[in-house]
Amino acid sequence: MYTTDLSKPGSAKVQPIGPAEDPALLEAFEARVAADEFIEPKDWMPEAYRRTLTRQISQHAHSEIVGMLPEGNWITRAPSLRRKAILLAKVQDEAGHGLYLYCAAETLGTSREQMIEALHSGKAKYSTIFNYPTLTWADIGAIGWLVDGAAIMNQVPLQRTSYGPYARAMVRVCKEESFHQRQGYEISMQLARGTPEQKRMMQDAFNRWWWPSLMMFGPPDDNSPNTAQSMRWRIKRETNDELRQKFVDITVPQAEFIGLTVPDPDLKWNEEKGGYDFGAIDWEEFYSVVKGEGPVAKERITARREAWEKNAWVREAAQAHEAKKQARKAAA
């Protein structure tokens, strides 16, 4: 789930309510949201709410689609037929997640073509986590365990987000992401308890993916320009820092159980708060990756553009078939 807030501090502000908004409609909307009612596509909503949702859902969809690339690269190199079949199913799931989410975003009035054009032009962002390379098979375990684990942490509250189509899409997505996280942890466990070379490989992957996984939750709350409004409108249910803390508290014991060391010398249990204190995140790295300076950022977006262009004939054929079908129906 990749709903990282990718706005740089100071680059965006809470969207103001437009002066043309009807006060009575706005009051009724706020009351429905406060009562935890779902807002549906044909319901009245503030334009700022529509814009925020369009940005977040489309960014989420882009992340699912781009997220297929680092793992898809390992399907032919998986170490066994079983691993190959599992990874193939996982990548297929991610494609489905992207389609659910594009459909949800389209209900807000933005076409899929517009969203994809924004991605390819660089106007729209996707989760920074996918601009890191997958160097070994252990990276596939780390992605499933850590990246999808962080995704689940983000996505479970979204099953109660205030926009109905988004919330309903997340029910199935969360079930499938749970499978993804388990297969990743199984790979990680097997390697961590394998030969010394396998354990070193897994520890190396864990070291490289730990901090980017913490960055997935977005910038600190005091530097997150959209969090306050999103919380008020029940688009988000928990803040970036709250979700990040939950992830650390759950994941550290999992790492210890399989014999891996968390790459954070400042990590320690805080009895008073009932959770772990952890070191400072390198936010300069985060924002440089957001700007497209990640290790494989250009490779990722180039792959998406080429896939879109080379497979245009499939879309055209489908559209022609549908046009003929509708013409026959009209003539009947």
Side-chain angles (χ1 to χ4, degrees):
M1 133 127 310
Y2 313 105
T3 56
T4 310
D5 184 339
L6 297 178
S7 302
K8 190 170 183 177
S11 66
K13 304 295 182 185
V14 173
Q15 296 280 6
I17 302 298
E21 306 280 28
D22 186 315
L25 290 174
L26 182 59
E27 183 180 358
F29 170 83
E30 297 274 9
R32 290 185 62 196
V33 168
D36 282 335
E37 292 183 27
F38 282 142
I39 304 300
E40 300 297 343
K42 293 184 179 180
D43 294 341
W44 184 90
M45 64 187 75
E47 282 306 307
Y49 179 82
R50 186 185 302 275
R51 289 194 299 270
T52 298
L53 278 168
T54 300
R55 175 189 57 79
Q56 178 170 322
I57 300 174
S58 62
Q59 181 180 293
H60 190 169
H62 298 329
S63 299
E64 298 284 356
I65 297 300
V66 176
M68 299 164 63
L69 296 173
E71 292 177 304
N73 191 40
W74 277 89
I75 291 173
T76 58
R77 295 182 285 166
S80 69
L81 181 60
R82 174 176 177 267
R83 292 296 183 195
K84 190 186 299 288
I86 292 172
L87 186 57
L88 186 62
K90 182 180 188 294
V91 172
Q92 185 176 11
D93 283 348
E94 306 294 7
H97 298 173
L99 294 179
Y100 305 153
L101 292 162
Y102 281 133
C103 287
E106 284 179 313
T107 66
L108 291 159
T110 301
S111 72
R112 190 172 309 186
E113 288 72 19
Q114 288 173 306
M115 289 183 275
I116 292 174
E117 190 282 328
L119 171 66
H120 291 171
S121 67
K123 294 177 184 176
K125 304 297 183 182
Y126 55 87
S127 180
T128 58
I129 198 76
F130 301 119
N131 285 336
Y132 291 89
T134 47
L135 305 179
T136 69
W137 174 250
D139 288 52
I140 303 304
I143 288 175
W145 171 26
L146 300 176
V147 175
D148 290 311
I152 292 168
M153 200 66 64
N154 260 318
Q155 291 170 348
V156 166
L158 288 174
Q159 293 176 102
R160 297 181 294 113
T161 193
S162 59
Y163 190 57
Y166 194 18
R168 289 188 287 273
M170 295 315 302
V171 174
R172 178 168 179 172
V173 170
C174 286
K175 290 178 180 178
E176 293 176 349
E177 291 290 0
S178 295
F179 152 73
H180 300 168
Q181 194 271 345
R182 289 170 189 170
Q183 66 84 34
Y185 190 56
E186 184 197 13
I187 292 172
S188 302
M189 181 186 299
Q190 190 173 62
L191 292 174
R193 294 178 174 178
T195 65
E197 183 180 5
Q198 287 174 324
K199 182 170 183 177
R200 283 195 297 272
M201 183 172 68
M202 189 64 238
Q203 182 66 60
D204 173 66
F206 185 55
N207 293 348
R208 287 184 285 106
W209 289 95
W210 173 254
W211 291 108
S213 295
L214 296 191
M215 295 176 196
M216 278 184 67
F217 298 96
D221 293 342
D222 56 1
N223 281 333
S224 181
N226 300 300
T227 292
Q229 186 67 81
S230 292
M231 293 287 288
R232 177 184 171 188
W233 278 338
R234 306 288 203 273
I235 295 173
K236 292 179 69 169
R237 292 288 183 159
E238 296 178 76
T239 71
N240 298 349
D241 288 337
E242 288 169 347
L243 292 168
R244 191 169 10 252
Q245 184 68 57
K246 284 187 177 181
F247 175 76
V248 171
D249 292 345
I250 287 175
T251 309
V252 169
Q254 292 174 344
E256 293 174 345
F257 180 73
I258 61 176
L260 294 179
T261 302
V262 177
D264 181 359
D266 297 323
L267 183 75
K268 62 180 179 180
W269 177 257
N270 185 324
E271 191 67 41
E272 184 177 347
K273 75 175 184 181
Y276 286 93
D277 292 332
F278 51 93
I281 295 172
D282 184 353
W283 293 114
E284 288 188 10
E285 176 183 332
F286 172 79
Y287 288 115
S288 70
V289 178
V290 168
K291 290 187 294 184
E293 298 172 7
V296 290
K298 291 182 175 62
E299 176 185 324
R300 296 284 188 253
I301 202 64
T302 298
R304 289 308 314 149
R305 288 196 195 104
E306 289 180 352
W308 180 257
E309 293 165 2
K310 289 180 179 178
N311 293 293
W313 68 272
V314 177
R315 298 191 299 278
E316 292 165 2
Q319 289 167 354
H321 174 74
E322 182 62 22
K324 288 180 180 179
K325 182 179 175 181
Q326 293 301 324
R328 285 195 297 269
K329 185 183 293 186

